[in-house]
Amino acid sequence: MEDTPTADTTAARPARVRPSEATLRRLERASGSLATQAVARMDEELSWFRAMPADQRSWVTLVAQAGIASLVEWCRNPGRPPRLTGEVFGAAPRELARAVPLKQTVDLIKVTVEVVEARVTQVAEPGEAEPLRLAVLQFSREVAFATAHVYASFAENRGAWDARLEALVVDALVRGDRSEELPGRAAALGWATTGPVLVLVGAAPSAERDSRAGVRRAARSLRSEVLVGVHADKLVVVLGGVDGLGAVAERVCREFGPGPIVVGPQVDSLARAAESAAAALAGLRAAAAWPDAPRPVDAEALLPERALDGDPVARTELAERVARPLEAAGGEVLDTVRAVLAHGGNLEGTARALFVHPNTVRYRLKRATELTGCSITDPRGAWTLQLALALTRLEGSRSLWH
């Protein structure tokens, strides 16, 4: 059975002897030289410290001196924990945490404590070296716990700030903001690429799933830069930094909720990402008109539906890519396309109506496909051609009335 201490044994146990006020005053006076010695030893033993900029090294000297001053206050009031933020790190815990990782900070504390321990006999009043040494060891333990807390708080605050900044960047893209500040804000989040960028949008998954974390893991597994935001019920993802962004988009799509996912056109930089976002959002609004669309689907593949939904950019692109090339090719090609559309794709009927051989019809349709990228023998291509020509004629008739 374990022995239980009695009143006599408790009374016999010596009380902890604190350093006297005279010793603490001597420690205060020596704090400057102790901090200088500690930094000199850091320079000898820590190669990464030698590589630090001069301003950061001098700041570490001040922190070491403030730490010794905090030791003195702690010895006078041993019941309270060290106040690292106000007394030791001063007004810049964020700057310290950015410049020096937690592991390196522990190394700095260790060196400082060892230097103070080595000078205990010189600093303490006669007969008080041991109490001062014990106080230094206990204080170093308290500092270790408090330092970990400071870094944890910094990481938590930094995470909340990054999340807010990321939300602001994504929201700006959704609103069509082409501000030159966007790349700078993204750089603050770690976005380093200046290469191609694309935006994809779709339904956000259920609230139970952490969509942002899943998207980030998926994108970074393929070495892609990524920004993620939830705008209303839509998940908006910005990808960049690698070749083959289409493959990254395919992988990231698994993290979306049910329904269509639209991929905006690839642009050359984050400064133009709002263009990709606008096309993707317009495509998502119009995607319901194409129930059998692939998932994901390019915003450009949805040009007909977007045009019907009133997207002026889609109407202009249909005119530039489809209608005007046919008009520029000459009447025969354009008339043949219209005739085939009017005859429901029947090439023989079209040939009879135009008084030409069916092979002539085929040749002209091949030429139309080369000019527009739309094959009239494909239902989707025929739909795109028919809509583009109809919208162009409408625009032309309106211009005659104005």
Side-chain angles (χ1 to χ4, degrees):
M1 177 180 289
E2 187 176 353
D3 292 336
T4 302
T6 63
D8 291 339
T9 59
T10 303
R13 186 178 298 160
R16 184 171 76 86
V17 179
R18 287 185 291 173
S20 67
E21 183 61 29
T23 293
L24 294 180
R25 283 197 299 270
R26 294 182 64 173
L27 181 60
E28 279 181 312
R29 289 194 295 270
S31 63
S33 63
L34 288 173
T36 301
Q37 291 177 38
V39 171
R41 185 165 172 180
M42 294 171 196
D43 193 71
E44 292 176 4
E45 298 182 1
L46 306 174
S47 58
W48 57 264
F49 180 77
R50 290 194 296 272
M52 290 177 68
D55 60 334
Q56 292 181 3
R57 287 159 56 92
S58 63
W59 191 81
V60 169
T61 304
L62 295 176
V63 170
Q65 189 169 351
I68 296 170
S70 183
L71 165 63
V72 173
E73 285 301 312
W74 182 81
C75 288
R76 288 174 174 147
N77 302 281
R80 75 168 178 85
R83 297 172 183 171
L84 290 190
T85 301
E87 295 176 357
V88 181
F89 291 160
R94 183 182 298 273
E95 283 72 12
L96 175 65
R98 284 176 175 166
V100 185
L102 176 59
K103 181 181 183 302
Q104 294 179 350
T105 301
V106 172
D107 290 339
L108 297 180
I109 294 171
K110 179 175 178 290
V111 169
T112 304
V113 170
E114 288 173 352
V115 168
V116 174
E117 276 190 287
R119 292 283 305 274
V120 159
T121 55
Q122 301 173 31
V123 172
E125 289 284 323
E128 293 191 15
E130 192 60 27
L132 181 58
R133 182 177 288 107
L134 289 174
V136 170
L137 292 176
Q138 291 176 356
F139 179 76
S140 66
R141 183 183 62 185
E142 297 286 345
V143 167
F145 284 112
T147 301
H149 176 72
V150 167
Y151 273 80
S153 298
F154 169 78
E156 182 179 355
N157 293 336
R158 177 61 191 267
W161 170 254
D162 285 353
R164 176 170 172 75
L165 183 57
E166 184 177 35
L168 289 173
V169 171
V170 173
D171 183 65
L173 294 177
V174 170
R175 290 186 286 104
D177 188 353
R178 291 169 173 80
S179 171
E180 294 179 357
E181 297 178 358
L182 284 177
R185 292 176 179 174
L189 293 166
W191 184 284
T193 184
T194 56
V197 172
L198 61 78
V199 178
L200 59 157
V201 297
S206 60
E208 292 79 15
R209 264 178 67 194
D210 185 357
S211 57
R212 293 180 178 88
V215 168
R216 290 192 185 96
R217 283 194 300 269
R220 289 169 182 165
S221 69
L222 298 175
R223 303 183 182 278
S224 174
E225 303 272 16
V226 60
L227 297 172
V228 194
V230 176
H231 191 81
D233 59 346
K234 294 183 286 293
L235 183 63
V236 182
V237 179
V238 185
L239 301 175
V242 295
D243 295 327
L245 287 175
V248 182
E250 290 276 355
R251 170 62 187 87
V252 167
C253 283
R254 303 176 195 171
E255 308 301 326
F256 281 74
I261 302 171
V262 182
V263 181
Q266 184 169 294
V267 293
D268 58 13
S269 69
L270 188 64
R272 296 183 55 204
E275 300 172 24
S276 182
L281 289 165
L284 188 64
R285 286 192 297 269
W290 187 10
D292 297 326
R295 188 176 189 266
V297 59
D298 288 339
E300 293 183 354
L302 285 161
L303 283 176
E305 288 76 17
R306 289 167 52 193
L308 283 176
D309 195 44
D311 181 3
V313 174
R315 291 193 173 206
T316 301
E317 289 194 31
L318 280 177
E320 295 294 333
R321 296 184 186 186
V322 179
R324 292 204 169 85
L326 290 177
E327 292 172 351
E332 290 183 347
V333 175
L334 180 58
D335 291 342
T336 300
V337 169
R338 284 175 174 160
V340 172
L341 291 172
H343 285 80
N346 188 316
L347 302 189
E348 285 73 15
T350 301
R352 288 193 295 270
L354 297 176
F355 302 103
V356 296
H357 194 277
N359 285 341
T360 301
V361 174
R362 292 187 179 92
Y363 171 79
R364 293 175 182 173
L365 294 181
K366 181 181 178 183
R367 176 65 177 151
T369 301
E370 293 171 351
L371 291 168
T372 65
C374 300
S375 173
I376 202 168
T377 58
D378 171 66
R380 184 75 190 166
W383 157 243
T384 303
L385 286 164
Q386 188 165 23
L387 188 64
L389 292 173
L391 290 174
T392 303
R393 287 178 69 87
L394 282 174
E395 291 297 326
S397 65
R398 289 195 186 102
S399 64
L400 292 175
W401 288 96
H402 293 283

